[in-house]
């Protein structure tokens, strides 16, 4: 039976440390959260982030635009936020409604306020290994591994998924820790053959229960980044949890695994941005 990597519990520790750092610095970091349209999942995420900010002593400002506002109005708002000294981090909730170019919007955010680390400058820094802050989800995974004493050095890590938000930066962060990394995706032939070689398996595709027990090496560490709705309407990840739990050495639950860590790292990144802006 696998050891549960409880992201919710460790995220609480991270947020407590972040709150203490805010108090030590004697400043109030500001995070602007921009939401466009009325996507239900996005609204839940934004509300959770506002709660996290309150817990950490971060000022959260929400800017809600209707879906029909248009890209020019959104870019104008981002420009205003880039120039506000009391705003240290800017987060545009993705996905954006149809008709918006997400890459144009992301690149409009000032790199030093891009606390999601999606701007090309920050992506390049993650690639180089010389980053101020890293994308919240993959870095949250790295912190969770570190907290549980799991060292990727010398291990074969398989990342299933090649998105710019999770898969690619996840691979880079593992490489920086001296892992041997394989990236798999929808065109990988015989996916199961590849995943069975993994000492650390990261699933980040968005397909419910894609990773079954026969695809997992006994004793592997299994990290499930995705959050989906199963046929029964319940939340689940990319991993068929119950059977895989029986053979893995460690596993993240869904929910309560990577998700809370993502939000905790966002809080950390916002404080880092505020600290750099203040010169403290």
């Amino acid at each position: 039976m696998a050891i549960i990597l409880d992201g919710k519990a460790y995220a609480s520790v991270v947020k407590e440390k972040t709150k203490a750092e805010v108090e030590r610095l004697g400043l109030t970091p500001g995070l602007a959260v921009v939401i466009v349209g009325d996507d239900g999942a996005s609204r839940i995420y934004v509300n959770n982030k506002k709660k996290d900010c309150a817990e950490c002593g971060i000022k959260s400002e929400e800017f809600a635009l209707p879906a029909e506002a248009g890209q020019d109005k959104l870019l104008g708002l981002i420009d205003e936020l880039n120039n506000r000294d009391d705003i240290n981090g800017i987060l545009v909730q993705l996905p954006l409604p149809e008709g918006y170019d997400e890459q144009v919007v992301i690149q409009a955010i000032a790199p030093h306020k891009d606390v999601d680390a999606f701007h090309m400058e920050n992506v390049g820094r993650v690639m180089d290994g010389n980053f101020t802050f890293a994308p919240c989800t993959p870095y949250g995974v790295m912190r969770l591994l570190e907290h549980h004493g799991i060292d990727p050095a010398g291990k074969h890590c398989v990342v299933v998924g090649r998105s710019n938000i999770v898969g690619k930066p996840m691979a880079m962060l593992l490489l920086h820790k001296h892992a041997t990394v394989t990236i798999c995706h929808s065109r990988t032939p015989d996916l199961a053959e590849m995943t069975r070689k993994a000492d650390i398996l990261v699933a980040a595709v968005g397909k419910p229960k894609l990773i079954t027990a026969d695809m997992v090496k006994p004793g592997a560490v299994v990290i499930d980044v995705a959050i989906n709705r199963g046929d029964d309407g319940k939340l689940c990840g990319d991993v068929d949890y119950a059977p895989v739990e029986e053979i893995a050495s460690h596993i993240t639950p869904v929910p309560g695994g990577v998700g809370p860590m993502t939000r905790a790292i966002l809080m950390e990144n916002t404080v880092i941005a505020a600290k750099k802006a203040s010169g403290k």
Side-chain angles (χ1 to χ4, degrees):
M1 186 71 71
I3 295 171
I4 307 302
L5 302 178
D6 189 338
K8 185 175 182 181
Y10 185 49
S12 296
V13 174
V14 172
K15 287 189 290 184
E16 280 296 322
K17 290 181 178 178
T18 301
K19 179 182 179 182
E21 178 68 357
V22 168
E23 292 172 350
R24 185 190 71 80
L25 292 170
L27 50 81
T28 303
L31 175 65
V33 180
V34 181
I35 182 170
V36 183
D38 56 0
D39 181 78
S42 290
R43 168 49 59 192
I44 292 170
Y45 293 149
V46 167
N47 288 345
N48 284 335
K49 288 166 186 172
K50 288 166 70 174
K51 291 177 183 177
D52 292 330
C53 284
E55 290 177 22
C56 296
I58 296 170
K59 179 188 69 173
S60 174
E61 284 195 47
E62 179 185 317
F63 299 85
L65 298 178
E68 63 274 15
Q71 184 159 298
D72 287 345
K73 186 165 184 178
L74 174 56
L75 293 175
L77 172 59
I78 291 172
D79 185 58
E80 290 177 19
L81 296 171
N82 282 338
N83 289 289
R84 278 182 54 178
D85 292 338
D86 62 327
I87 295 295
N88 305 111
I90 302 170
L91 182 151
V92 177
Q93 185 65 45
L94 302 177
L96 291 170
E98 188 175 346
Y100 290 81
D101 188 324
E102 290 188 354
Q103 273 305 309
V104 170
V105 171
I106 290 168
Q107 301 314 313
I109 300 171
H112 63 282
K113 294 190 178 187
D114 169 41
V115 287
D116 264 333
F118 293 162
H119 190 283
M120 290 304 295
E121 180 176 320
N122 291 324
V123 170
R125 289 184 176 278
V126 170
M127 177 76 73
D128 183 64
N130 181 27
F131 51 85
T132 300
F133 28 68
C136 302
T137 296
Y139 195 60
V141 170
M142 297 302 292
R143 291 285 293 279
L144 196 56
L145 291 174
E146 180 184 30
H147 175 66
H148 287 273
I150 301 168
D151 185 0
K155 294 184 174 65
H156 185 188
C157 301
V158 176
V159 179
V160 185
R162 54 177 170 177
S163 73
N164 293 331
I165 293 174
V166 180
K168 291 176 185 176
M170 186 79 256
M172 288 300 104
L173 293 176
L174 288 165
L175 277 173
H176 293 322
K177 291 296 183 180
H178 312 297
T180 297
V181 182
T182 299
I183 303 176
C184 298
H185 46 80
S186 59
R187 297 189 183 184
T188 299
D190 200 349
L191 178 62
E193 181 184 3
M194 302 303 298
T195 58
R196 280 194 292 266
K197 297 177 181 178
D199 301 308
I200 299 176
L201 176 61
V202 181
V205 177
K207 292 186 177 179
K209 302 183 180 181
L210 171 69
I211 306 297
T212 53
D214 63 309
M215 299 171 68
V216 178
K217 176 182 178 180
V221 175
V222 179
I223 305 294
D224 195 346
V225 173
I227 186 161
N228 313 297
R229 288 279 179 191
D231 293 337
D232 57 3
K234 295 180 180 179
L235 292 176
C236 65
D238 284 351
V239 175
D240 191 7
Y241 185 86
V244 173
E245 183 187 14
E246 294 293 328
I247 62 171
S249 64
H250 299 75
I251 192 170
T252 56
V254 176
V258 176
M261 286 301 301
T262 297
R263 302 200 323 263
I265 298 302
L266 174 66
M267 300 299 105
E268 271 196 350
N269 285 352
T270 302
V271 173
I272 290 169
K275 187 176 179 179
K276 288 184 72 70
S278 68
K280 293 188 176 182

